[in-house]
Amino acid sequence: MCGRYAASRRPEDLVDVFGVERWDPEEALAPDWNVAPTKEVYAILERPLKDADDPRPVRQLRTLRWGLVPAWAKSPEGAARLINARSETVHEKPSFRRPFAARRCLLPADGYYEWVTGESERQLEEQGKRKRPRKQPYFVTPADGTVFAMAGLYEFWRDRTLPEDHPRSWWVTCTVITTEAETGPLGVAPAEGPGSLAEIHPRMPLMLTPDRWDDWLDPARTNPVELRSLLTPPPEGLMRAYPVPTSVSNVRNNGPELLEELAAPEEGTLF
């Protein structure tokens, strides 16, 4: 799954990397090393510009809220639960099938966090000696240092309690598509701990390599069968994972120190 990630790249850099044609500097976000559900995040998408005469889709860098609210929802209360969409069923689930066909995006990140329960902690939990086992967070990121482009969907939701011209009358929300975690060896594995992403968690965000960006973002592509072919995971061995401080577990903590690579898992959380 993907429940927390880091996104610290400057918008100007994202504009260059993704070939963005339109970006509003007023939507700039501060670097965030602890992105959590319901926060605002960057997304790259293609759609015609609002109130423009030219109907041509334009590649844009937009600010969306993480946690998808279906267009038919009566309220946005369930957004925090729809932060992920499974690649295997995204084409048929009521909450996701319409945006899958027409509103796809890329969510740029440095990488994502995942938590592992150490063997000693798991044994204490099974013996009833610890109700809440301590978990070691790992940061998963491209081994070559490039941007981690997660496949995503976005949707518009109209707040009927507000007038049409109210600045918050429309919500634009998003979700991260996930897939089965890689079972092959990591591109760079930690000295101690998991040797594959599947040993960390059975699911992972679906990373799209640059050769798929254009097809994924193209709103003219609406055939579910063709679109599902784009959900194939990238080649294995592109990622690295390493243990990071447990302070990332508290969403109030935020800063580059959260990405500090530990020489070994913290005491009590050994893999």
Side-chain angles (χ1 to χ4, degrees):
M1 62 175 295
C2 178
R4 207 82 65 80
Y5 67 91
S8 65
R9 282 177 167 79
R10 301 185 313 143
E12 294 84 358
D13 295 334
L14 297 177
V15 167
D16 290 339
V17 169
F18 291 97
V20 170
E21 301 174 71
R22 180 62 64 91
W23 168 61
D24 184 354
E26 293 186 0
E27 292 191 358
L29 299 174
D32 195 338
W33 290 271
N34 205 350
V35 180
T38 73
K39 278 189 172 184
E40 291 190 326
V41 300
Y42 282 134
I44 290 88
L45 54 87
E46 288 187 6
R47 60 181 297 108
L49 295 175
K50 186 178 181 180
D51 301 325
D53 295 331
D54 187 356
R56 177 182 64 91
V58 174
R59 185 165 299 185
Q60 307 171 45
L61 177 64
R62 299 283 296 273
T63 299
L64 313 182
R65 188 188 301 256
W66 186 19
L68 190 139
V69 180
W72 43 261
K74 294 182 179 180
S75 77
E77 293 179 358
R81 295 193 300 270
L82 295 180
I83 61 172
N84 293 161
R86 296 174 67 93
S87 62
E88 298 88 347
T89 58
V90 67
H91 64 290
E92 59 188 13
K93 292 293 184 181
S95 296
F96 304 127
R97 61 191 178 200
R98 289 179 60 188
F100 177 63
R103 288 177 287 280
R104 299 175 300 278
C105 63
L106 293 170
L107 300 170
D110 305 325
Y112 70 98
Y113 300 101
E114 198 57 80
W115 282 257
V116 176
T117 302
E119 182 61 30
S120 60
E121 290 291 296
R122 188 178 298 112
Q123 290 176 358
L124 290 174
E125 182 183 23
E126 292 172 351
Q127 295 167 9
K129 296 180 179 180
R130 191 184 297 282
K131 293 183 179 180
R132 298 184 64 183
R134 288 171 292 184
K135 296 185 177 184
Q136 173 61 53
Y138 280 79
F139 187 63
V140 182
T141 185
D144 62 2
T146 56
V147 66
F148 185 63
M150 301 183 291
L153 308 175
Y154 69 97
E155 185 60 284
F156 294 91
W157 181 78
R158 170 77 165 90
D159 186 346
R160 301 294 176 183
T161 67
L162 299 174
E164 178 75 27
D165 58 353
H166 193 282
R168 300 182 69 103
S169 62
W170 284 94
W171 291 40
V172 190
T173 59
C174 61
T175 190
V176 175
I177 295 179
T178 65
T179 187
E180 289 188 358
E182 298 175 2
T183 57
L186 285 161
V188 179
E192 295 183 42
S196 71
L197 293 179
E199 291 180 33
I200 298 175
H201 194 279
R203 306 288 298 178
M204 63 176 287
L206 175 62
M207 182 180 78
L208 293 184
T209 48
D211 59 299
R212 296 187 187 180
W213 291 354
D214 290 347
D215 287 341
W216 179 253
L217 295 175
D218 186 358
R221 298 177 68 96
T222 59
N223 186 305
V225 176
E226 294 181 2
L227 291 172
R228 290 185 67 191
S229 68
L230 300 176
L231 298 177
T232 304
E236 295 188 342
L238 299 180
M239 311 299 290
R240 68 179 297 234
Y242 60 86
V244 293
T246 53
S247 54
V248 72
S249 300
N250 187 331
V251 72
R252 290 190 292 271
N253 294 328
N254 206 320
E257 66 278 3
L258 298 180
L259 298 187
E260 176 188 356
E261 182 172 358
L262 303 182
E266 294 187 2
E267 185 176 355
T269 62
L270 292 175
F271 181 75

